[in-house]
Amino acid sequence: MRSLLLLATSLLVASPLLAQTRRATTTKTPPATRFVAPAKPSVAPVRQPTPPAPVSAAPASAAPVQQQTAPVQAASYRATTPMQNSVSPAGRSNVFKVNVFSPIVRTISAFYEHATGPTSSMQLGVYYTGISLGDLAYRGFGITPEYRFYLTKRSDAPDGAYLAPFVRYQNLTFSDVTDASSKFTLSTVGGGLLVGRQWLVGRSDNVAIDLFGGPSYNVAKVGDGYKSDAPTAFAGFGVRFGLCIGLAW
């Protein structure tokens, strides 16, 4: 009888413990399932930041790069084109030349020209003369400053066609061949405008050929008198022309 009571007591005590263990096991398993379930959506956000949209943006970014480089190339072409069109032959900027017609009238006439820019130059001419015309002999010198505007666009000064305003000062002494005591001095101041063409030729473009001509006007003074007493060849309107040959460097 006592053993039966002990067995019944043990069953009564063990049954709540079994119920608790069952509830514990049943309550522990649902969190495991709930913990695993949110882990699956967490993988999806990792795959979302890799859409194909950035791949299509690459060609759009490449187009502005081509648009930026095109103006740079065009600008460099424009920068080099004027330089190529404004280069004098072999880079010559100085010319020394003589007038080939001067020896015919026993005159030495020489010129020095220096290019001051792509379309301009300064020239200084000097001459010394001594000649007899009939019974009249004269000797003296002249100075001719000149400014040249070059018109040719394919090359720089001093090569090409040009317009040249100039001024001239002359100082001459005249004497009678038959009477050496009969002398008078003549001084003139004048100017004019030349139209000419200068070529730089030769293997190194170092030979200059200059052909020019144009009207001039001189005011002359003889001793104490003025142009009415001066020889007509040196006073009033006249023509200046020449052909020069020289060296360029």
Side-chain angles (χ1 to χ4, degrees):
M1 188 67 179
R2 185 178 294 177
S3 61
L4 291 173
L5 291 173
L6 293 171
L7 179 61
T9 304
S10 62
L11 290 173
L12 290 172
V13 173
S15 61
L17 295 171
L18 292 173
Q20 290 178 0
T21 56
R22 289 175 182 176
R23 285 194 300 270
T25 55
T26 56
T27 56
K28 289 179 181 179
T29 53
T33 56
R34 286 193 300 272
F35 176 76
V36 174
K40 293 180 180 180
S42 64
V43 179
V46 177
R47 297 178 181 178
Q48 288 178 0
T50 59
V55 177
S56 62
S61 63
V65 174
Q66 295 177 356
Q67 293 176 358
Q68 292 176 0
T69 55
V72 174
Q73 293 176 357
S76 62
Y77 175 77
R78 289 192 298 269
T80 54
T81 301
M83 293 177 64
Q84 293 175 356
N85 292 337
S86 61
V87 174
S88 61
R92 309 301 182 187
S93 59
N94 299 281
V95 182
F96 178 80
K97 49 200 168 181
V98 295
N99 193 332
V100 297
F101 294 152
S102 297
I104 299 174
V105 290
R106 297 182 182 179
T107 301
I108 300 174
S109 180
F111 304 88
Y112 170 72
E113 180 181 2
H114 175 71
T116 58
T119 60
S120 61
S121 71
M122 295 291 294
Q123 178 171 284
L124 179 64
V126 295
Y127 77 84
Y128 179 82
T129 185
I131 189 174
S132 298
L133 297 176
D135 295 335
L136 187 64
Y138 67 91
R139 66 179 60 245
F141 68 92
I143 301 175
T144 309
E146 184 177 315
Y147 188 80
R148 294 188 171 190
F149 299 95
Y150 279 85
L151 309 176
T152 305
K153 295 182 179 180
R154 292 176 295 178
S155 60
D156 284 356
D159 179 78
Y162 61 85
L163 295 176
F166 69 92
V167 295
R168 169 174 280 186
Y169 171 78
Q170 301 178 99
N171 187 283
L172 303 170
T173 300
F174 291 83
S175 61
D176 191 341
V177 176
T178 59
D179 185 4
S181 61
S182 177
K183 294 183 180 180
F184 65 93
T185 59
L186 171 70
S187 61
T188 68
V189 177
L193 178 66
L194 298 179
V195 178
R197 178 67 165 91
Q198 182 161 261
W199 296 267
L200 299 184
V201 297
R203 181 174 298 179
S204 302
D205 295 324
N206 59 347
V207 177
I209 301 175
D210 186 11
L211 178 65
F212 59 87
S216 65
Y217 184 82
N218 294 311
V219 176
K221 179 180 180 180
V222 180
D224 296 330
Y226 281 88
K227 63 179 181 179
S228 59
D229 300 325
T232 56
F234 297 93
F237 288 98
V239 176
R240 180 188 167 199
F241 64 94
L243 174 62
C244 297
I245 298 178
L247 297 177
W249 69 93

